[in-house]
Amino acid sequence: MSRKTMTRRRLIRICVTLAFALAAFPAPAEYADVVLNKRSEKEGVRPVVFSHWFHRIRFRCKVCHFELGFKMRAGANDVLMADIIDGKFCGMCHNNNIAWGADRCDLCHSGRPGLKSGIYGGHQTLGPGRW
Amino acid sequence: MRSRITLYITLGALTGSAVSLHAQDRGGTGKAVYEKSCALCHAAGIAGAPKLGDAGEWSARLRAGIATLYRSAVAGTPNGMPAKGGNLSLSGAEVRAAVDYMVRSAGGAPKSSAVPGGKRATASARGAAKPAAGNPAQIGAAPASKPARETPTPTVVAAAPSGTPAQAAIDPNAFNRLLAPPGGRNPPPAEDGIHDPGNPGIHALQPPLESFQRLPRANAGNRVNWVAALGKKQIQPRWDLGDPQAEPSAMDLNIVREVKGSMPDVVYPHRQHTEWLDCSNCHPAIFVPQKGANQISMAAILLGQKCGVCHGKVAFPVSECRLCHSRKKDAPASSTAAVPAAEARK
């Protein structure tokens, strides 16, 4: 088989994979919204929805993913409410100083019951965010 | 600590159902929503509002299709219909239920809008238990009272619960079957499928479009061109948590990756990345900082590795081939080397 046909086959394969990836996930949610539901629902509160679009207008990625130490991997951060109130994770900002505080439960715990942790909104690449 | 969190949780519990899970209630809402939020104008026909029970008025409007009516009711019209009747705390489903109620009131089975002549059929035989046969305009209209993917039952349409499915059925022969309609993009939180519309805090959250309409648009992802928005200073995301003045020192170093086959070569630009990210976000965990030392392929990217760690999830998605594959093959031949486009600019 010539190299050219091989590349072409590969290209076709990529296109097919892409077509599936693009078609299989209709995107109702906003792109890059992340659901955190490792513990929430087990503890009787709604899952947490975190919006990248809203936060990236206010902070560069680096602030959360380097300065504050959020791992860039959906589900990889073990977040306890006690930590947040102690000023870790979301609590580094949601402390009534940089942004409103941890008492506004329903702004963060706003997800539909039953949602799995992971990234929503029509992502096109696999990986940890797809569960 | 424990006692403090208990306090917070008790607080949460006291402030009502704020965080408790509860089943979504949708049934029987149409009439209730109408009475509370729509009757004000629609009972007497104030300001030209179509009156409840006025078959002539409603059937004329129904010709545009039930989906159009839903859209008018949710988004408002320039002629006096306020978005959601002015009660923005209503969910999309509640407004649609109210529309269904009004449409039913004006003669039960609204005629389908499947107009011969190729218009998009937004079928609307909602709540009708009558056979649709005999009406040529009905042909091809799927019963809207069922989710579109169910097999259409052409004759008898089961009575719909007053909470109707979120989307009206779409003509199977619609011109664009899979392309997301512009109206379905960047939905407000209450309608985006992941936020719980029953959450009392839902309406405090900002709908994306309110923010995006001031930003340069793009074709995919959030449909915002984040690079341009930042470049034009339309957004000023902080580089430092506490210091609004801190500025990144972007590094202007392009890396050209030659691509086998016919696709244009990939230009990886450090500048746009170091505007947002720290070197350690990529080096060395994702990429060894050495030109050519990393095996990158589209397969890996689609698996969520390499560029796919961010692109396709948070940064612009993979469907935007040309943003990465941006250099034509016949470009000048210095393509093997890293191109220091300029020294670090600041």
Side-chain angles (χ1 to χ4, degrees):
Chain A
M1 207 194 293
S2 81
R3 226 183 117 175
K4 203 163 168 196
T5 38
M6 251 172 75
T7 344
R8 181 160 312 147
R9 288 222 171 149
R10 246 175 112 183
L11 186 64
I12 292 171
R13 210 169 59 213
I14 289 169
C15 294
V16 170
T17 324
L18 258 174
F20 271 110
L22 303 188
F25 311 105
E30 186 54 42
Y31 186 68
D33 279 3
V34 184
V35 170
L36 296 101
N37 193 10
K38 268 189 163 175
R39 297 204 171 71
S40 299
E41 221 171 324
K42 279 185 222 137
E43 304 288 339
V45 291
R46 292 191 183 84
V48 172
V49 179
F50 170 84
S51 298
H52 266 102
W53 70 266
F54 184 89
H55 287 88
R56 74 180 290 184
I57 288 175
R58 290 157 177 83
F59 298 96
R60 319 258 175 161
C61 326
K62 168 250 174 201
V63 172
C64 292
H65 290 297
F66 170 67
E67 239 180 291
L68 306 187
F70 272 106
K71 293 193 195 105
M72 241 188 218
R73 179 184 265 251
N77 300 282
D78 245 328
V79 185
L80 286 176
M81 215 42 228
D83 292 337
I84 294 182
I85 293 165
D86 263 355
K88 294 193 203 119
F89 298 110
C90 320
M92 283 181 280
C93 300
H94 289 281
N95 52 9
N96 277 324
N97 178 21
I98 293 180
W100 41 260
D103 50 331
R104 310 279 304 266
C105 317
D106 50 354
L107 293 185
C108 292
H109 290 278
S110 63
R112 257 177 210 273
L115 282 183
K116 288 198 192 143
S117 299
I119 191 144
Y120 285 76
H123 49 278
Q124 298 176 351
T125 48
L126 298 168
R130 284 249 331 259
W131 294 66
Chain B
M1 194 57 260
R2 275 282 149 213
S3 63
R4 219 161 125 204
I5 192 171
T6 324
L7 176 77
Y8 271 109
I9 292 180
T10 325
L11 252 176
L14 284 179
T15 45
S17 61
V19 287
S20 62
L21 302 169
H22 53 76
Q24 223 192 310
D25 107 281
R26 262 217 198 157
T29 44
K31 184 159 188 271
V33 173
Y34 165 80
E35 278 163 4
K36 180 152 169 270
S37 305
C38 320
L40 182 66
C41 301
H42 284 275
I46 288 172
K51 270 207 254 184
L52 186 76
D54 184 334
E57 269 263 33
W58 282 105
S59 64
R61 288 178 188 269
L62 255 176
R63 253 172 247 136
I66 187 80
T68 310
L69 297 190
Y70 287 160
R71 220 175 298 128
S72 305
V74 171
T77 74
N79 297 331
M81 169 64 202
K84 297 186 172 176
N87 181 355
L88 292 178
S89 69
L90 291 174
S91 72
E94 286 168 324
V95 176
R96 285 188 293 268
V99 176
D100 290 343
Y101 171 74
M102 288 195 266
V103 166
R104 264 201 312 272
S105 78
K111 291 255 161 52
S112 157
S113 61
V115 195
K119 273 205 194 157
R120 169 177 280 218
T122 30
S124 60
R126 183 163 278 93
K130 293 183 200 159
N135 179 351
Q138 290 273 3
I139 293 170
S145 51
K146 299 206 170 175
R149 66 187 84 75
E150 276 178 35
T151 342
T153 38
T155 42
V156 180
V157 179
S162 58
T164 45
Q167 273 146 19
I170 290 171
D171 176 7
N173 300 327
F175 180 76
N176 285 325
R177 231 165 45 81
L178 296 177
L179 187 70
R185 294 166 185 162
N186 309 117
E191 289 161 32
D192 70 358
I194 63 171
H195 286 90
D196 183 351
N199 172 13
I202 188 93
H203 298 286
L205 299 176
Q206 187 175 41
L209 273 184
E210 184 185 305
S211 147
F212 294 172
Q213 66 192 3
R214 317 174 124 240
L215 303 179
R217 304 311 305 266
N219 288 325
N222 297 113
R223 299 184 181 275
V224 169
N225 184 337
W226 293 108
V227 172
L230 189 64
K232 295 187 204 153
K233 295 208 184 298
Q234 288 168 315
I235 56 173
Q236 273 137 10
R238 289 189 188 182
W239 175 253
D240 185 274
L241 178 60
D243 176 7
Q245 254 48 277
E247 291 272 349
S249 49
M251 184 176 86
D252 219 346
L253 172 69
N254 287 344
I255 310 254
V256 178
R257 311 249 336 178
E258 278 184 58
V259 176
K260 290 172 246 111
S262 58
M263 283 298 283
D265 290 339
V266 172
V267 180
Y268 165 79
H270 267 94
R271 185 176 60 78
Q272 287 92 314
H273 289 92
T274 48
E275 289 274 4
W276 290 98
L277 294 151
D278 188 82
C279 314
S280 67
N281 286 131
C282 290
H283 298 309
I286 307 179
F287 302 107
V288 181
Q290 188 191 329
K291 153 102 189 125
N294 304 272
Q295 283 281 339
I296 312 177
S297 68
M298 280 318 285
I301 292 175
L302 287 170
L303 285 172
Q305 298 156 6
K306 309 296 174 190
C307 320
V309 169
C310 301
H311 291 281
K313 298 211 185 83
V314 177
F316 69 79
V318 189
S319 51
E320 302 305 282
C321 315
R322 261 176 292 166
L323 289 180
C324 293
H325 292 272
S326 59
R327 212 172 83 143
K328 287 222 188 77
K329 286 284 204 259
D330 51 351
S334 67
S335 57
T336 37
V339 188
E343 301 307 338
R345 289 187 314 163
K346 244 183 218 161

